[in-house]
Amino acid sequence: MSEPIRVLLADDQALVRGALAALLSLEPDLTVVAEVGRGDEVVPEARRTAPDVALLDVEMPGLDGIAATAALRAALPTCRVLVVTTFGRPGYLRRAMEAGANGFVVKDTPARQLAEAVRRVHAGLRVVDPTLAAETLATGASPLTERETDVLRAARHGGTVADLAAALHLSEGTVRNHLSAAIGKTGARNRAEAVRIAEQNGWLLGD
Amino acid sequence: MSEPIRVLLADDQALVRGALAALLSLEPDLTVVAEVGRGDEVVPEARRTAPDVALLDVEMPGLDGIAATAALRAALPTCRVLVVTTFGRPGYLRRAMEAGANGFVVKDTPARQLAEAVRRVHAGLRVVDPTLAAETLATGASPLTERETDVLRAARHGGTVADLAAALHLSEGTVRNHLSAAIGKTGARNRAEAVRIAEQNGWLLGD
DNA sequence: CCCCCGCCCTGACAAATGTCATGGCCGGAA
DNA sequence: TTCCGGCCATGACATTTGTCAGGGCGGGGG
């Protein structure tokens, strides 16, 4: 039998991270060689420990999992990436794949399948949650323009138009116009709903 | 040495649930006797397996963890409850304790401490995340009246005032008034912000 | 070269939202 | 009993938000 597969774990919730480590450690052919809780710690730690596969959560402080995927692929091209996330948002899958991920799994897949997914990714295969794959094709990429995305992102916290205008250095009229466009494109009936829809589709990544 | 502690796990994310099971199974004095993915499966499964400690997530379909806690305490008073949650929302802790929980842990506590928390709860001690305890005292109970809470809950999805009025069988003026009151009490500057604040404080439980 | 198309920016107008004063209802205190 | 205070309900009014038409800028195709 060959060397065990070296795995790096990245998840912001320490409890979940530790639990996943315990789960994977049950498999004789897998070793967890590193654990990190922030996206910006992924690359430094990967350089140090040279993992074969990195298991990255999408929701992380510092750098989200998608950005961390891109950074890791650039820094260590031989390291495979398996993205894991809580929410089955179609946009996440698309963005993850564009960033160079080798696999994508949502957190409500059965626990027994995770080790198998790691093995498949390590073997060079692509692993994609099948239910999500169909949905991704249906919803497609973001229809939002760059500025519209900026404005929606800023609107998440619930400020007034004046606040957004100040934060983005735009006139209030402009902000209203971008919001209006975003509302139209998302099919929403007001700002709050547009934010919710865009967020659910994963169109607001990048803080 | 006495019998191992029997544990029931409830979490809607199968991967996390399985991982927690793996983590706890590493401890020789703990046995995971049941796993469920919905709040409304907790009591039936507990009746069947007679656990000593139930580990409940707050965010679950069917019945949230707080409601499940109350139901479980009523059905099997000898079973201790340890509530686990992703978000350290002060209101959650308060509500969980009022519902009869014996402990409360957030998911970014270190993994090693979970087994210890289970043991303490089983021994009859209370386990509370210390940082959260202070915050709870500071933010206190919800200042929102029942109707205000209803209206904010309905407003989460982002509908218009007309929608809310129809859903709650109220006049539009009334809905606006309740929203205005909620905005005032939360210190928000518009509806969306009020929803966000109330949600963060755990004042909107109960779907 | 010129045209066209899309994105960005802006102000004026219409529509929705938030505020306020008012009145009905109920339960506890005087 | 009567009064008081809190919650709920409602309509009129001011403010904010969403829509629209229009102009500037830059890249790609004819």
Side-chain angles (χ1 to χ4, degrees):
Chain A
M1 185 169 178
S2 53
E3 294 295 310
I5 301 175
R6 300 167 61 80
V7 179
L8 175 147
L9 275 183
D11 192 308
D12 60 331
Q13 298 172 356
L15 194 52
V16 174
R17 196 166 69 233
L20 287 174
L23 179 70
L24 293 178
S25 296
L26 294 179
E27 309 290 324
D29 58 334
L30 303 182
T31 322
V32 176
V33 296
E35 293 184 30
V36 302
R38 303 175 45 87
D40 47 14
E41 291 171 354
V42 169
V43 169
E45 191 66 10
R47 282 194 200 281
R48 222 173 51 75
T49 57
D52 300 309
V53 178
L55 204 68
L56 307 183
D57 192 344
V58 173
E59 291 83 18
M60 276 190 295
L63 204 66
D64 68 62
I66 309 288
T69 298
L72 185 56
R73 295 292 301 171
L76 284 86
T78 63
C79 178
R80 316 277 187 178
V81 174
L82 179 57
V83 174
V84 187
T85 187
T86 303
F87 309 104
R89 298 180 178 169
Y92 282 9
L93 172 53
R94 170 178 297 268
R95 300 281 298 272
M97 288 314 184
E98 287 171 1
N102 304 93
F104 192 95
V105 178
V106 297
K107 278 192 181 163
D108 56 2
T109 53
R112 321 190 40 144
Q113 293 182 10
L114 182 64
E116 191 53 29
V118 171
R119 288 189 200 100
R120 295 170 84 95
V121 164
H122 179 246
L125 301 171
R126 287 195 168 256
V127 175
V128 173
D129 192 285
T131 57
L132 217 56
E135 221 179 324
T136 296
L137 296 178
T139 49
S142 173
L144 299 174
T145 190
E146 190 184 343
R147 271 287 188 262
E148 288 158 8
T149 308
D150 289 343
V151 174
L152 272 195
R153 264 205 285 267
R156 274 187 298 190
H157 305 300
T160 83
V161 170
D163 295 340
L164 307 191
L168 299 172
H169 306 291
L170 292 175
S171 115
E172 302 197 4
T174 305
V175 170
R176 288 211 197 84
N177 192 24
H178 286 309
L179 282 172
S180 181
I183 290 170
K185 288 181 181 176
T186 54
R189 292 224 296 312
N190 56 47
R191 180 187 316 190
E193 201 177 359
V195 166
R196 190 173 58 78
I197 291 172
E199 216 162 33
Q200 283 181 356
N201 287 353
W203 295 338
L204 258 37
L205 279 183
D207 289 63
Chain B
M1 184 169 181
S2 53
E3 295 294 310
I5 301 174
R6 301 167 61 79
V7 179
L8 176 147
L9 276 182
D11 191 308
D12 60 330
Q13 298 173 355
L15 194 53
V16 174
R17 197 166 67 233
L20 287 174
L23 180 70
L24 293 178
S25 296
L26 293 179
E27 309 289 325
D29 59 333
L30 304 183
T31 323
V32 176
V33 295
E35 293 185 29
V36 302
R38 304 177 45 88
D40 48 13
E41 291 171 353
V42 169
V43 168
E45 191 66 10
R47 283 193 199 281
R48 222 174 51 73
T49 57
D52 300 308
V53 177
L55 206 67
L56 307 183
D57 193 344
V58 173
E59 291 83 19
M60 277 190 295
L63 203 64
D64 68 61
I66 309 287
T69 298
L72 186 54
R73 296 292 301 170
L76 284 86
T78 63
C79 179
R80 316 276 185 178
V81 174
L82 179 56
V83 174
V84 187
T85 185
T86 304
F87 308 104
R89 297 181 177 167
Y92 281 11
L93 172 53
R94 168 178 298 269
R95 299 282 300 268
M97 287 313 183
E98 286 171 0
N102 304 95
F104 192 94
V105 178
V106 297
K107 277 189 182 165
D108 54 6
T109 54
R112 323 190 38 146
Q113 293 181 10
L114 182 64
E116 191 52 30
V118 171
R119 288 189 199 99
R120 295 170 85 94
V121 164
H122 178 246
L125 301 172
R126 288 194 168 255
V127 176
V128 172
D129 193 286
T131 58
L132 216 56
E135 221 179 324
T136 296
L137 296 178
T139 48
S142 172
L144 299 174
T145 190
E146 189 184 343
R147 272 286 188 266
E148 288 159 8
T149 308
D150 289 344
V151 174
L152 272 194
R153 264 204 285 267
R156 275 187 296 191
H157 305 300
T160 83
V161 170
D163 295 340
L164 307 190
L168 299 172
H169 307 291
L170 291 176
S171 114
E172 301 198 5
T174 304
V175 171
R176 289 211 197 85
N177 191 26
H178 286 308
L179 283 172
S180 181
I183 290 169
K185 288 181 181 177
T186 54
R189 291 230 292 313
N190 57 46
R191 183 186 314 191
E193 202 178 357
V195 167
R196 190 174 57 77
I197 291 172
E199 217 163 33
Q200 283 181 356
N201 287 354
W203 295 338
L204 259 38
L205 281 182
D207 287 66

